[in-house]
């Protein structure tokens, strides 16, 4: 039913009642959608009219006309918006084809991203049976160890020397075949400040192996043109990833005023920023390394900062001008929320909603001034020296022909062997770029190491093929198709059922369930990311509500239905056949109406007697001092809805 029909019906009904209709509303039904009518003198003159009798309807006519006019203007575009499908990501219902697949990480929610990174975390299991632990010389070959990203960072340093490559590295996981971005912000080189972040290895590996599991089982998610898988943990608002700041400075003079820089670090309290200089301890050897390209030392920052989660390091090498360069560095680490997903039909890269670390940091810090404070979204990380030492294991490099550590090897790529057999740092960008490059190398090593915390724990998958069956198969998600089952028998239905039940119940404090969300890319309809869709639905529902309300009033309110004056021509004919006011109230209006109060004259339809006869006819009558202008004595209040016919 159209809005015009509803407004017309209301006008017809009011014309036959005692209240009548203001002159400005007579043709309003034919002007719905013309918003200029709502601001005209015709509308407002009628809306402010004074009625002799109180209206018998609860909804004012002016409000019905105003709402209907606005709806008539936008209901068409709203319908078009709702009918046209959008190209977007849509939630996929039942991606597992009525099978039950549960995955659990054997860690409590407080253990996944610990506040303190201590030596106990080095004892976590490894995915390699031949692993000798994360303190062994070749530990960087074990993906579960903190130093596993060394070779990629080492290669980036060489590429920077040759091509000035941006500090963004792709790290591949050989177990799940997924790739992760280790990103570092290219901040101003003169500041000596860098910020690095990378998604967690455990979470990235799980989304990769679970995708392989779904595809090999030939579930319907595999048939989609472009599905994505989004992991989350039950009872946790979001996943987290490390974000690491590092700031380094250059000192050439060996004196007692060499201090750790921290003025650029975001998230430090004003008390720490205004504290006395953090001088490097006397125990650090800051003399030029003899026949060495680089020397590095970790420093415990607890004596300086009252156990604030900071970590210190000192590089010692030779600057381009042949002088000894001391580079004290301060490191501040946090866990920050992140959303990751895999787009397997495009590539094997784990994508994230916040890949740029500097933007993440600035967005999460309430105030960037010297009085900045830490919000709850950033969880500080306290790194112990024993754990940090596993990032700097001994590493023999043939290029340098020296026994350097991992961090020393990465930094030594920034220099060359001088003609007099002395090593000098001389990167692209010159000496002024050295603090920034060293802070970038340091922040990337620490960020990658933190991303591997607890990555050796195996995620367990419980597969139940038939929802009506109580048996299932318990599997190790990491080696699901690698031939090893980590001591779990292939037919472990009862074991799997018990494990899943206990993981959600008695052992829930030591298990975290992974919740999988699957979306597809394509055309569809929905409320996601669509304000215009919501507005369109509200408009159409409002239209439907008015229609239902009108039909209910017509059916049960005794209003009846009239076919009179359904067109402008019929309304003009009624006015033409009417006698009009005898006192000239509407005089001088043939060429237009200027006064707003004229539109407020209330008119009604009445059957009147002709003079000298019994013939009756319908006329538009105008109020005049409480009497009908034509022939008040012959006025009869007869309802048009009951018996009148078109003439």
């Amino acid at each position: 039913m159209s809005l015009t029909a509803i407004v017309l019906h209301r006008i017809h009904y009011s014309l036959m009642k005692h209240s009548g209709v203001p002159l400005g509303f007579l043709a309003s039904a034919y002007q719905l959608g013309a918003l200029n009518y709502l601001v005209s003198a015709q509308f407002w003159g009628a809306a402010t009219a004074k009625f002799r009798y109180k209206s018998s309807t609860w909804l004012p006519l002016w409000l019905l006309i105003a709402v209907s006019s606005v709806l008539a203007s936008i209901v068409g575009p709203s319908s078009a918006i709702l009918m046209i499908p959008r190209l977007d990501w849509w939630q996929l219902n039942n991606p597992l084809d009525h099978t039950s697949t549960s995955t659990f990480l054997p860690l409590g929610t407080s253990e996944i991203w610990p506040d303190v990174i201590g030596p106990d975390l080095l004892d976590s299991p490894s995915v390699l049976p031949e692993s000798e632990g994360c303190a062994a010389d070749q530990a960087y070959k074990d993906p579960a160890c903190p130093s596993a990203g060394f070779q990629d960072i080492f290669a980036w340093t060489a590429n920077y020397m040759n091509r000035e490559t941006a500090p963004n590295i792709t790290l591949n996981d050989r177990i799940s075949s997924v790739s992760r971005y280790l990103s570092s912000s290219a901040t101003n080189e003169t500041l000596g400040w860098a910020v690095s972040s990378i998604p967690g290895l455990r979470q990235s590996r799980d989304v990769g192996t679970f995708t392989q599991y779904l595809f090999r089982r030939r579930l319907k998610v595999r048939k989609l043109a472009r599905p994505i898988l989004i992991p989350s943990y039950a009872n946790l608002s979001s996943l987290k990833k490390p974000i690491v700041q590092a700031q380094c400075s250059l000192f050439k003079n060996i004196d007692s005023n060499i201090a750790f820089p921290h003025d650029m670090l975001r998230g430090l309290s004003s008390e720490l920023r205004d504290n006395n200089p953090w001088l490097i301890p006397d125990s650090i050897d800051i003399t030029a390394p003899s026949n060495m390209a680089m020397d590095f030392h970790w420093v415990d920052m607890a004596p300086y900062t009252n156990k604030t989660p900071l970590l210190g390091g000192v590089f010692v090498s030779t600057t381009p001008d042949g002088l000894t360069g001391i580079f004290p560095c301060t490191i501040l680490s946090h866990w920050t929320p992140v959303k990751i997903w895999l787009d397997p039909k495009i590539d094997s890269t784990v994508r994230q909603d916040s890949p740029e670390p500097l933007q993440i940091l600035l967005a999460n810090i309430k105030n960037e001034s010297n009085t900045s404070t830490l919000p709850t979204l950033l969880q500080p990380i306290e790194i112990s020296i024993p754990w940090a030492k596993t990032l700097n294991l001994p590493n023999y490099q043939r290029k340098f022909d020296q026994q350097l550590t991992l961090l020393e090897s990465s930094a030594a790529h920034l220099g060359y062997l001088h003609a007099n057999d002395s090593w000098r740092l001389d990167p692209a960008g010159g000496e002024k770029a050295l603090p920034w490059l060293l802070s970038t190398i340091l922040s990337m090593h620490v960020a990658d190491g933190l991303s591997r915390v607890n990555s050796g724990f195996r995620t367990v998958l419980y597969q139940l093929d038939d929802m009506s069956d109580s048996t299932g198969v318990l599997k190790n998600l990491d080696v699901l198709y690698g031939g090893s089952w980590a001591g779990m028998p292939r037919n472990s239905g009862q074991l799997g059922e018990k494990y899943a039940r206990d993981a959600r119940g008695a052992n829930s404090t030591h298990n975290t369930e992974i919740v999988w969300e699957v979306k597809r890319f394509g055309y569809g309809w929905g409320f996601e990311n669509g304000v215009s869709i919501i507005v369109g639905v509200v408009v159409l529902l409002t239209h439907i509500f008015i229609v239902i309300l009108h039909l209910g009033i017509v059916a049960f309110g005794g209003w009846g239905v009239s076919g009179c004056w359904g067109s402008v021509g019929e309304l003009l004919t009624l006015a033409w056949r009417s006698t009009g006011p005898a006192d000239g109230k509407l005089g001088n209006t043939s060429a237009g109406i200027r006064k707003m109060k004229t539109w407020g004259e209330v008119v009604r339809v009445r059957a009147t007697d002709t003079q000298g006869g019994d013939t009756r006819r319908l006329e538009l009558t105008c109020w005049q001092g409480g009497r009908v202008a034509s022939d008040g004595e012959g006025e009869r209040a007869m309802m048009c809805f009951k018996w009148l016919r078109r003439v």
Side-chain angles (χ1 to χ4, degrees):
M1 176 176 286
S2 69
L3 294 170
T4 299
I6 295 175
V7 174
L8 271 177
H9 186 276
R10 172 64 185 277
I11 292 174
H12 294 169
Y13 177 80
S14 297
L15 282 173
M16 303 308 301
K17 300 295 290 183
H18 289 287
S19 57
V21 176
L23 185 62
F25 285 161
L26 281 181
S28 61
Y30 308 108
Q31 302 182 71
L32 296 183
L35 297 181
N36 60 328
Y37 169 70
L38 296 180
V39 297
S40 65
Q42 181 178 355
F43 175 81
W44 287 104
T48 57
K50 296 182 179 180
F51 292 86
R52 180 183 180 186
Y53 296 102
K54 183 179 179 181
S55 175
S56 60
T57 58
W58 60 270
L59 181 64
L61 181 57
W62 68 267
L63 181 59
L64 175 63
I65 294 173
V67 172
S68 300
S69 186
V70 173
L71 285 178
S73 301
I74 60 178
V75 72
S78 299
S79 301
I81 291 174
L82 295 179
M83 292 175 62
I84 299 175
R86 291 185 295 126
L87 188 63
D88 204 343
W89 293 103
W90 303 98
Q91 186 75 34
L92 183 65
N93 297 322
N94 188 30
L96 304 181
D97 296 344
H98 300 286
T99 65
S100 175
T101 303
S102 304
T103 49
F104 300 91
L105 181 63
L107 288 170
T109 55
S110 60
E111 301 171 315
I112 302 175
W113 300 287
D115 296 330
V116 179
I117 308 298
D120 56 309
L121 294 175
L122 300 175
D123 299 330
S124 62
S126 173
V127 294
L128 299 180
E130 67 275 12
S131 176
E132 298 179 1
C134 293
D137 290 347
Q138 301 295 315
Y140 62 85
K141 296 181 180 180
D142 186 346
C145 290
S147 59
F150 158 72
Q151 292 176 314
D152 296 287
I153 301 174
F154 180 83
W156 170 79
T157 311
N159 289 333
Y160 180 84
M161 286 294 294
N162 298 328
R163 307 173 186 174
E164 296 190 47
T165 308
N168 294 296
I169 307 174
T170 300
L171 280 68
N172 299 315
D173 179 39
R174 58 178 176 171
I175 294 178
S176 61
S177 301
V178 298
S179 302
R180 299 179 299 144
Y181 282 139
L182 173 57
S183 304
S184 184
S185 298
T187 55
N188 192 325
E189 294 182 354
T190 61
L191 299 177
W193 175 53
V195 187
S196 300
S197 69
I198 182 174
L201 176 59
R202 178 69 272 166
Q203 294 77 35
S204 300
R205 182 180 293 165
D206 285 343
V207 72
T209 52
F210 191 71
T211 300
Q212 297 178 26
Y213 165 78
L214 294 181
F215 278 31
R216 296 198 183 197
R217 289 201 65 196
R218 300 181 180 275
L219 300 179
K220 73 176 183 180
V221 64
R222 180 185 180 184
K223 303 176 183 178
L224 299 176
R226 191 180 173 186
I228 62 171
L229 279 81
I230 307 173
S232 62
Y233 287 152
N235 302 323
L236 289 177
S237 58
S238 65
L239 303 181
K240 296 182 180 180
K241 70 172 182 176
I243 181 168
V244 179
Q245 304 176 69
Q247 184 180 358
C248 299
S249 295
L250 169 59
F251 293 86
K252 291 186 178 181
N253 298 320
I254 301 178
D255 54 28
S256 59
N257 294 322
I258 301 176
F260 291 98
H262 56 278
D263 59 295
M264 292 301 301
L265 298 179
R266 299 311 199 257
L268 287 180
S269 64
S270 58
E271 180 182 357
L272 288 177
R273 291 181 179 273
D274 299 336
N275 203 352
N276 296 327
W278 302 343
L279 302 180
I280 64 174
D282 297 334
S283 58
I284 300 297
D285 184 8
I286 58 175
T287 58
S290 176
N291 297 323
M292 293 284 287
M294 180 68 65
D295 195 12
F296 179 78
H297 307 273
W298 286 114
V299 179
D300 186 4
M301 300 296 290
Y304 303 91
T305 61
N306 193 21
K307 296 186 178 181
T308 296
L310 290 172
L311 185 65
V314 178
F315 288 98
V316 183
S317 187
T318 306
T319 57
D321 53 9
L323 299 177
T324 300
I326 300 96
F327 301 87
C329 303
T330 310
I331 303 168
L332 180 60
S333 307
H334 296 91
W335 297 115
T336 184
V338 67
K339 179 181 179 180
I340 65 173
W341 66 90
L342 190 65
D343 196 347
K345 294 296 183 71
I346 301 299
D347 54 33
S348 59
T349 301
V350 175
R351 306 179 186 276
Q352 47 186 322
D353 60 345
S354 51
E356 176 54 46
L358 183 58
Q359 294 180 358
I360 303 170
L361 186 65
L362 297 182
N364 284 292
I365 296 296
K366 296 180 180 178
N367 186 355
E368 297 178 37
S369 65
N370 290 339
T371 59
S372 62
T373 57
L374 282 175
T376 56
L377 292 179
L378 290 179
Q379 175 186 341
I381 307 173
E382 182 180 343
I383 301 176
S384 66
I385 295 297
W387 185 90
K389 286 182 176 179
T390 61
L391 295 172
N392 196 35
L393 301 173
N395 176 50
Y396 180 80
Q397 288 292 329
R398 291 183 179 179
K399 175 178 179 180
F400 309 123
D401 197 25
Q402 299 171 7
Q403 183 68 43
L404 300 179
T405 62
L406 299 182
L407 289 174
E408 292 169 354
S409 300
S410 296
H413 252 316
L414 301 176
Y416 64 96
L417 190 63
H418 200 257
N420 59 358
D421 294 334
S422 64
W423 190 267
R424 295 186 181 183
L425 294 176
D426 193 11
E431 181 180 291
K432 67 177 182 179
L434 281 173
W436 170 73
L437 287 169
L438 293 176
S439 63
T440 299
I441 292 173
L442 205 52
S443 65
M444 287 197 296
H445 272 285
V446 176
D448 179 65
L450 291 173
S451 72
R452 299 176 187 272
V453 169
N454 291 324
S455 61
F457 286 93
R458 295 177 173 88
T459 299
V460 177
L461 181 144
Y462 173 58
Q463 171 186 320
L464 189 63
D465 292 326
D466 189 352
M467 296 294 290
S468 61
D469 192 359
S470 61
T471 62
V473 179
L474 189 67
K475 300 179 180 181
N476 181 352
L477 190 58
D478 281 355
V479 289
L480 196 56
Y481 300 100
S484 172
W485 296 91
M488 300 177 187
R490 289 181 179 272
N491 298 320
S492 55
Q494 295 180 353
L495 176 63
E497 181 186 5
K498 183 178 185 302
Y499 184 94
R501 183 175 62 252
D502 292 344
R504 295 190 179 101
N507 295 330
S508 60
T509 56
H510 301 291
N511 289 274
T512 302
E513 185 172 2
I514 304 176
V515 180
W516 298 100
E517 181 183 7
V518 182
K519 292 187 176 183
R520 66 169 184 87
F521 185 73
Y523 288 97
W525 294 267
F527 293 98
E528 297 180 7
N529 303 323
V531 177
S532 59
I533 300 296
I534 297 176
V535 173
V537 170
V538 171
V539 169
L540 293 184
L541 289 178
T542 304
H543 187 181
I544 294 173
F545 172 76
I546 292 176
V547 170
I548 294 176
L549 181 64
H550 173 75
L551 293 177
I553 292 175
V554 170
F556 304 104
W559 281 26
V561 178
S562 171
C564 303
W565 321 301
S567 65
V568 177
E570 292 181 343
L571 190 62
L572 288 175
T573 302
L574 174 64
W576 182 30
R577 292 283 296 164
S578 301
T579 305
D583 60 351
K585 179 174 290 189
L586 298 181
N588 301 322
T589 59
S590 300
I593 299 176
R594 294 183 179 180
K595 294 182 179 180
M596 190 169 65
K597 68 176 183 178
T598 304
W599 293 112
E601 294 292 340
V602 178
V603 297
R604 301 184 302 170
V605 171
R606 287 294 180 266
T608 59
D609 294 335
T610 59
Q611 294 183 1
D614 295 331
T615 305
R616 294 178 297 175
R617 68 180 183 188
L618 294 180
E619 291 187 6
L620 280 175
T621 63
C622 186
W623 288 108
Q624 180 184 2
R627 301 177 65 84
V628 177
S630 56
D631 187 3
E633 299 301 329
E635 174 187 349
R636 295 179 176 84
M638 299 182 178
M639 301 298 293
C640 175
F641 300 110
K642 294 181 178 179
W643 57 271
L644 290 178
R645 298 175 300 170
R646 286 193 180 97
V647 180

